[in-house]
Amino acid sequence: MQVRIYDNAQQVGTACAMLIAAQVTKKPDSVLGLATGSSPIGCYQQLIEWHKAGALDFSQCISYNLDEYCGIAEDHICSYHDFMNKNLFDFINMKEHHVPNGNAPDLQAECKRYDAEIEKAGGIDLQLLGIGNNGHIAFNEPNKHFVYGTQIVKLTDSTIDANQRFFNSREEVPTQAISLGIGGIMNAKCVVLIATGKAKAQAVRDAVKGDMDPQVQASILRGHPNAIFLVDKDAASLL
Ligand code: GLP
């Protein structure tokens, strides 16, 4: 695992966009694993800018998002489908983009379908990740073990508290989500995790320096041959 420390969140966003741009330039038909949350927004804005300037073409790329809430409609303002449309897909020419369906009538079948689809596409070339305050990646919450496949997750109080800021009230935050599993993330050829701000400092420390422990799901990335953490000074303050 490599850790690269930058002065501020803007520099982290640009560095992350550069890694994605390099991936797409090297392999125009890349399979990208994408993330939601506030962490990737700066990166997405930079990718959109380069695309508009004619410097970056996604017309052969396919993307798979990490996760989606269960029980809110795809066009709900807080859904990850809506987030991705408004923050990236509406402004670039991605050939195909996929987000798991948190409202599928058979959620277990949807988990299997999603994993099979990624495998059929050849696996993920570059997986972008944020990190939860509790060290989660995607919605893989602290647990007694690492779960390999896409799964339905009960969100922890800490995650519901953290994500409440996007909803009108805490009661509106869904309590369940569908999430790519740890196997899906570890199978990506390259993993890029971004973390900014003091609130992430403990999770970053635990992931980088603590034991490899499913209570801090991001710690498994220490066993990935090509994982890069892009962090600002605040998120790196406990390293
Ligand atoms: C959510 C998402 C994660 C994301 C995390 C951090 O829980 N499921 O994929 O990494 O939030 O979000 P933020 O970047 O907004 O801090």
Side-chain angles (χ1 to χ4, degrees):
M1 174 196 284
Q2 264 186 59
V3 181
R4 299 183 190 167
I5 302 172
Y6 296 86
D7 281 343
N8 54 51
Q10 199 190 343
Q11 287 178 10
V12 169
T14 307
C16 184
M18 277 180 186
L19 290 176
I20 295 178
Q23 171 67 42
V24 172
T25 306
K26 180 177 73 180
K27 185 176 178 235
D29 59 349
S30 285
V31 180
L32 301 174
L34 298 179
T36 51
S38 36
S39 302
I41 289 179
C43 163
Y44 292 160
Q45 283 171 350
Q46 182 63 79
L47 292 176
I48 292 167
E49 231 175 81
W50 285 335
H51 173 68
K52 280 190 177 155
L56 196 53
D57 174 28
F58 295 93
S59 63
Q60 296 179 59
C61 287
I62 302 180
S63 70
Y64 289 92
N65 260 78
L66 285 169
D67 46 16
E68 177 57 288
Y69 290 113
C70 295
I72 56 172
E74 277 182 13
D75 60 359
H76 188 289
I77 194 171
C78 295
S79 80
Y80 287 172
H81 278 81
D82 192 70
F83 175 96
M84 288 308 297
N85 290 336
K86 293 204 175 114
N87 286 287
L88 189 65
F89 298 146
D90 286 353
F91 305 100
I92 63 168
N93 62 340
M94 188 78 76
K95 181 183 163 199
E96 274 180 37
H97 43 80
H98 306 267
V99 179
N101 179 3
N103 290 313
D106 181 343
L107 285 168
Q108 294 307 330
E110 171 64 5
C111 292
K112 289 206 177 76
R113 183 196 68 80
Y114 204 63
D115 285 339
E117 218 185 280
I118 292 174
E119 204 181 319
K120 203 169 143 211
I124 290 167
D125 290 304
L126 185 151
Q127 177 65 60
L128 178 59
L129 292 176
I131 184 168
N133 296 345
N134 62 7
H136 76 208
I137 44 178
F139 268 132
N140 294 288
E141 295 283 40
N143 200 342
K144 291 198 186 73
H145 46 266
F146 296 107
V147 174
Y148 187 84
T150 292
Q151 59 165 335
I152 304 302
V153 185
K154 185 177 178 311
L155 302 181
T156 60
D157 285 344
S158 144
T159 297
I160 293 174
D161 288 344
N163 291 1
Q164 170 183 348
R165 67 191 194 279
F166 299 111
F167 292 80
N168 291 324
S169 69
R170 194 178 192 282
E171 289 61 50
E172 278 183 36
V173 186
T175 55
Q176 272 199 327
I178 180 168
S179 172
L180 195 70
I182 292 297
I185 293 169
M186 289 297 279
N187 284 337
K189 293 176 189 81
C190 168
V191 176
V192 180
L193 183 146
I194 36 183
T196 57
K198 281 247 185 289
K200 300 293 171 67
Q202 187 65 47
V204 168
R205 202 215 84 89
D206 291 345
V208 173
K209 292 211 159 153
D211 293 333
M212 203 186 278
D213 179 352
Q215 287 299 325
V216 182
Q217 295 270 316
S219 65
I220 200 166
L221 297 171
R222 297 232 295 280
H224 192 286
N226 192 11
I228 306 169
F229 277 38
L230 306 176
V231 296
D232 70 358
K233 279 184 178 162
D234 285 342
S237 58
L238 297 178
L239 289 178

